[in-house]
Structure formats: structure tokens, C-alpha cells
Amino acid sequence: MFSGGTIPAGANRGRSTARTPKQAPRGSGAGAGPETPEVIALPTGPRGGSRSDHGDPGKASTARSAHAPRSPLFLSGPSGAGPGHCAHLSQVAGPMACGNPDPVAGFLSWCRRVGLELSPKVEVSRQGTVAGYGMMARESVQAGELLFVVPRAAILSQHTCSIGGLLERERGALQSQSGWVPLLLALLHELQAAASHWRPYFALWPELGHLEHPMFWPEEERRRLLQGTGVPEAVEKDLDGIRSEYHSIVLPFMEAHPDLFSLRVHSLELYLQLVALVMAYSFQEPLEEEEDEKEPNSPMMVPAADILNHLANHNANLEYSADCLRMVATQPIPKGHEIFNTYGQMANWQLIHMYGFVEPYPDNTDDTADIQMVTVREAALQGTKTEAERLLMYERWDFLCKLEMVGEEGAFVIGREEVLTEEELTTTLKVLCMPAEEFREFKDQDGGGDDKREDGSLAINNIPKLKASWRQLLRNSILLTLQTYATDLKTDKDVLSNKEVYAKLSRREQQALQVRYGQKMILHQLLELTS
């Protein structure tokens, strides 16, 4: 019997389990096409705590950091998606879900065997969901009600797979920047094993050959549609890391264990697909506050949890405890409505990069736009008139680097209502705009001295109150950023407002348009405030 119910107030629910960037969720959020795979994100990696990063997880914490590259590192954490389609893995493991007339029934039967309990108020379905498989409320659900419980033993990880002992013994040889190699090897082995314990779970996975992450788009199409968004650069970085990891670590390991890995899984293409799957569907359990200095937890696949689609305004949340993981309703859910998890505070460029979907404008309240730090430097240099002024500007920039306020790959992150990198941008504008003598004094004091706050914070509505020189530098930086896109705001707006024209676009064109438009709207809002 399901022993759910409402979680008592004050009970220790554990930390939020958004998917991490390293993992790639399967699902998709509102606005994804009806067949879009769902994504489960981890904190900066997997869905579970933050998205992981072959896309960088950690609930977008990395992505919003001033010093992080625009895209999460390929090996930093999974994001988390849910199974969107029947998994066509016959080339690896023979017929699975596709030979099963009812993969959901098979999965639910497997859940009962492994002790994964679903509330009678919920059901797994493809009907009425925003994309692929999802979870629906069969009856009205109240905030705090338990939706399902996943015992630790039902989680698929490097520790619970059938070669967990070997992976642990070879742990030193499997270390990588991403930290995903052991889980990916576990998946490669389990997918080819005819008697794998996890086969009913695999049956709900999306078809690996039809994942919609931009890493699978032709390079020309990716650059044409997503120029200026930061996604093409993020994908190239990911692909370089994935290929290096495969050839230097994964393939040699499989070749050393031919009894465990058939030649059918010696494939870079399959490995890329599994990285995307982990990026979109896996979870990464967050560290406790006292453990923040430790290495992030490894990504893991969480059956049932990875079925939920993402929405910024989600109504459920995954919580961790010592014995199990629990999905709990965070607000009332009416009968017949879909149950949504969150992959973290993800901007649309992060969602499409790691999960292959976006939320249509203006639904994604977590959307952001980036101003590359080097763009602000370029704008400042354009304002110099003499070689002496130019050299002084470089000196100012070097000092900001010393203060760890800027970096060559960093970006200032702008949200709809706030500057997420307020300290970094404030300090940068201050140092680049202050009079030369004041800068000399400031530098001599190593950036200390008068610590009083400047007039006007960088909350969006306070931008007009900034010093004129700050606003001008910020304005010039925004204009340079807008020049990096292949289209202007009016062109994108005209297409979005014409339903007939928009409907004729391919799914990729629609998704890319939503990413570009959301970023440009944020930048133009900021531009108006600098006038």
C-alpha cells in the first residue's frame, strides 16, 4: 500500500533536487513540441539536485556565475529529462520497449517489484502532457502530498549497476573532468545486457537517435539559428570534451574488458547520445552546506522522477533522504493537470543546450541574457582617444582580473528584474569609468578603501540612477552584444506575432527563435533604461 500523505510542517525534506547541468533530461517544458523528449535536470548537471554538466548542472548556479563560461562544461553534471519515447536500442540490446505493447504497464510492474511506490492519485501517461511521457494527477493533490517514493536500491548509478564492483576498483582510471564516466559505462553495459534488471525502465526512455539537443544539429544549422545566444560555443566545447573523454578513457576501458562490453557499444555516436541522455535525465544529489568544499556527488538515473517535465512555475519537487527520494507536491494540483518538476533556474539557452527544449516567451521567468565581459572591455577601449588612455584601460582591466571580478570567458548575467552578477558588473563599471587619479588610489589600496555603496544598485529599475559614464559604457556594451545576433529584435518579433508564419517554421527554428527573442527583450529593456 502507498504510505504517502502530506509531509508534516517542519519535517526535514532535504535540499531541493533540481537537475544538475551535467545531465540531460529527457522531458520538455511548456512549449516543447508534443513529441519533444522530456528532460530531468540535476543541479548543474543531473536533474536531481542541479543539472550536471557535459552541460554543467547545479541548478544553473554555474551558468549564472560571473566567471563561468556561458555554457556548463561538458563534464560538470547532468540535467535530467524524462523518457519521451520508446527507446529504440535494438542495435545495442535487442528489442526492448518496442517489443512491449504496453511499456508503461511493464514499467509499473517493475516499480512494484523494486518497491517504487506511486500515489494512487498520479499516473504515467502520454495523454495531456506537454511532451512525451509525463505524470498526470488522476485526483486533486494538495500541497505537501507525497506523489511517489523511490528507494535508493531502485536508482541506477555506478554503485547499483551490475558492474559496480569493477567501476569502484577502477575508479582512479575513470576520473575525468565531467565525473560522468562511471555512470556512462554503467549505462553502456546495462543497455547491452539481455537480462538487465533495468530493461523495463529503459523502455520509457526516448529514442536515442531522435534527441533534440543542439549537439545533434548540423553545425551550419546550429550556428545559423543560434548565433549570438552562446549555445554554439557551448556545444563545441562540450563536443571537444566528450570526444576526448571517449577516446582517452572510455574506449580503452571497454577494450580492456571485452567480456563486459560488446563491440556493438564501442561507438562514439552512442556515447554522445548517452551523454545527452544523462545531461537531460539524470539527477545529482546536492551536497549539504557543510560539505560544500567536497567534490559534487556523481550523477544517477532516478526512475519515475525523470518522467516529470520541467516548468519554471513547477508544482512538485524532489527531496532526498538517507533511504529514499521523494517527489512532493509544492502547490495544489487539480485533477487532470500535469505534474511538473524543475530542473533549476534555467534560462532558455540553458534549457535548449542541455535538454533540447525551451519555454515560450514570456513563460520562462528565469530567462537571462549575457553580456560577455570582454565585450565591456571592447566598449571601454572604443571610448579611449589616445594610446596612453588605451594602455590605462588595459591596466584597469588587469586589475579587475586580479580582483577576480572579470575573466576572458566570463559573462555578466542579466535577468528580467535583476542583474545576477551585480557585484562583478558594479565593480567593473566603477573601475573602468573612474578618473585616472582615483583609479591609482583605488589600486594602491588593492580595491579597498571607501566601501560605501554607489548611488543606485543594479536592480533593473535602478539602472537610470547610475552615473552617466556608467550608463554610457553599459549602453555601448549592450549595443555591441546585440550586433552578435544574425537578426534584430523587430525581425524576430514579426515572425513570432504572425501565427501563420511561425507555424511554418521547423521545430528547431521555433525553439531557436524563442531563445533569441527572450535574450533580446532583456537586452532591449536594459538598453532603454540606459538612455
Side-chain angles (χ1 to χ4, degrees):
M1 295 292 293
F2 182 77
S3 54
T6 302
I7 304 296
N12 179 14
R13 298 188 175 185
R15 295 174 67 182
S16 166
T17 59
R19 297 182 183 183
T20 78
K22 284 190 173 184
Q23 303 168 296
R26 95 181 144 124
S28 73
E35 290 300 317
T36 304
E38 310 212 40
V39 178
I40 298 179
L42 304 180
T44 324
R47 302 182 173 187
S50 44
R51 301 228 164 162
S52 38
D53 198 48
H54 266 259
D56 203 57
K59 190 182 178 183
S61 57
T62 300
R64 292 184 171 228
S65 158
H67 303 297
R70 280 184 96 154
S71 71
L73 296 180
F74 139 70
L75 297 177
S76 32
S79 49
H85 307 279
C86 161
H88 289 212
L89 296 166
S90 55
Q91 75 278 18
V92 175
M96 294 172 65
C98 303
N100 183 345
D102 191 349
V104 172
F107 172 70
L108 295 177
S109 176
W110 177 81
C111 288
R112 289 189 289 272
R113 293 198 302 272
V114 301
L116 197 164
E117 300 179 272
L118 275 72
S119 165
K121 292 186 175 183
V122 305
E123 64 179 347
V124 177
S125 176
R126 294 178 67 94
Q127 302 299 316
T129 64
V130 296
Y133 286 111
M135 189 166 287
M136 306 292 293
R138 299 174 61 183
E139 302 176 27
S140 296
V141 174
Q142 298 304 310
E145 278 197 64
L146 196 56
L147 304 175
F148 57 82
V149 179
V150 184
R152 291 277 180 176
I155 293 170
L156 173 52
S157 72
Q158 64 197 64
H159 306 294
T160 60
C161 68
S162 59
I163 59 169
L166 173 63
L167 295 175
E168 178 61 27
R169 290 193 298 275
E170 298 290 334
R171 180 173 53 180
L174 301 178
Q175 290 183 352
S176 67
Q177 182 185 359
S178 71
W180 294 10
V181 168
L183 176 61
L184 289 162
L185 284 168
L187 296 181
L188 285 167
H189 175 73
E190 296 294 342
L191 286 174
Q192 67 170 8
S196 174
H197 169 67
W198 310 97
R199 289 178 73 79
Y201 165 55
F202 295 152
L204 294 190
W205 276 12
E207 185 175 349
L208 294 183
H210 288 76
L211 297 174
E212 273 299 318
H213 299 65
M215 72 164 64
F216 300 114
W217 300 8
E219 182 179 358
E220 182 279 329
E221 182 179 26
R222 184 167 62 236
R223 291 196 171 277
R224 173 170 51 84
L225 295 180
L226 293 167
Q227 177 182 325
T229 65
V231 175
E233 295 80 5
V235 170
E236 288 305 316
K237 187 170 187 177
D238 286 354
L239 291 175
D240 288 344
I242 295 169
R243 293 178 185 123
S244 174
E245 184 177 84
Y246 176 78
H247 289 294
S248 64
I249 304 175
V250 175
L251 185 58
F253 185 84
M254 291 194 293
E255 291 174 339
H257 300 282
D259 55 322
L260 298 176
F261 298 94
S262 71
L263 291 175
R264 289 177 295 172
V265 297
H266 290 210
S267 161
L268 175 59
E269 179 183 10
L270 176 60
Y271 189 71
L272 284 167
Q273 293 167 349
L274 288 177
V275 166
L277 187 84
V278 168
M279 188 159 64
Y281 287 77
S282 68
F283 289 79
Q284 191 171 28
E285 187 167 358
L287 297 170
E288 297 299 330
E289 290 184 8
E290 61 273 14
E291 300 178 317
D292 282 347
E293 299 303 315
K294 292 176 57 178
E295 287 294 311
N297 288 313
S298 301
M300 55 190 178
M301 309 303 292
V302 185
D306 58 13
I307 289 175
L308 272 65
N309 284 306
H310 162 91
L311 205 58
N313 184 26
H314 58 288
N315 51 23
N317 195 49
L318 186 63
E319 301 173 351
Y320 298 89
S321 65
D323 300 322
C324 63
L325 279 63
R326 302 177 295 183
M327 190 66 73
V328 178
T330 58
Q331 57 180 280
I333 306 171
K335 176 181 179 180
H337 284 228
E338 185 168 2
I339 299 166
F340 292 98
N341 187 16
T342 174
Y343 304 160
Q345 293 172 281
M346 311 293 286
N348 267 346
W349 78 262
Q350 294 170 296
L351 288 175
I352 196 170
H353 173 215
M354 294 187 285
Y355 305 98
F357 74 92
V358 302
E359 292 192 64
Y361 187 86
D363 294 356
N364 188 354
T365 54
D366 294 319
D367 208 4
T368 63
D370 288 358
I371 298 174
Q372 296 299 302
M373 291 176 172
V374 293
T375 300
V376 178
R377 181 182 64 190
E378 180 183 353
L381 287 168
Q382 288 180 356
T384 60
K385 297 181 175 62
T386 67
E387 182 63 17
E389 288 181 353
R390 184 175 180 84
L391 291 174
L392 179 58
M393 192 60 69
Y394 275 116
E395 184 180 347
R396 295 171 190 256
W397 183 262
D398 290 342
F399 182 65
L400 286 167
C401 290
K402 179 183 175 182
L403 294 179
E404 298 186 343
M405 289 293 156
V406 298
E408 293 298 309
E409 291 190 322
F412 300 113
V413 185
I414 317 297
R416 292 186 184 175
E417 298 181 358
E418 61 179 336
V419 177
L420 281 73
T421 51
E422 178 177 355
E423 179 185 2
E424 291 82 0
L425 183 54
T426 300
T427 304
T428 299
L429 294 174
K430 175 181 179 179
V431 170
L432 297 183
C433 294
M434 63 175 47
E437 287 305 314
E438 186 178 339
F439 169 66
R440 295 295 180 199
E441 182 180 348
F442 187 71
K443 184 179 179 183
D444 288 342
Q445 295 174 343
D446 243 358
D450 186 4
D451 204 25
K452 71 180 180 65
R453 193 168 184 82
E454 298 291 335
D455 293 338
S457 73
L458 285 191
I460 296 300
N461 58 1
N462 279 334
I463 295 293
K465 302 175 185 177
L466 296 178
K467 294 179 179 179
S469 59
W470 292 27
R471 283 187 283 112
Q472 187 60 53
L473 177 54
L474 183 56
R475 180 178 184 81
N476 293 343
S477 302
I478 297 167
L479 291 171
L480 287 176
T481 299
L482 288 169
Q483 291 174 16
T484 64
Y485 295 94
T487 56
D488 60 19
L489 179 66
K490 183 179 183 305
T491 300
D492 288 347
K493 185 175 183 179
D494 288 346
V495 175
L496 271 175
S497 60
N498 188 322
K499 293 182 179 179
E500 184 177 347
V501 172
Y502 183 77
K504 291 180 180 179
L505 299 179
S506 68
R507 180 184 180 280
R508 291 176 181 176
E509 289 171 330
Q510 291 178 351
Q511 303 276 288
L513 176 59
Q514 295 286 353
V515 175
R516 299 193 308 265
Y517 186 72
Q519 291 183 351
K520 292 174 190 175
M521 285 295 290
I522 291 172
L523 292 171
H524 274 271
Q525 174 193 19
L526 195 61
L527 189 66
E528 290 179 10
L529 294 173
T530 61
S531 300

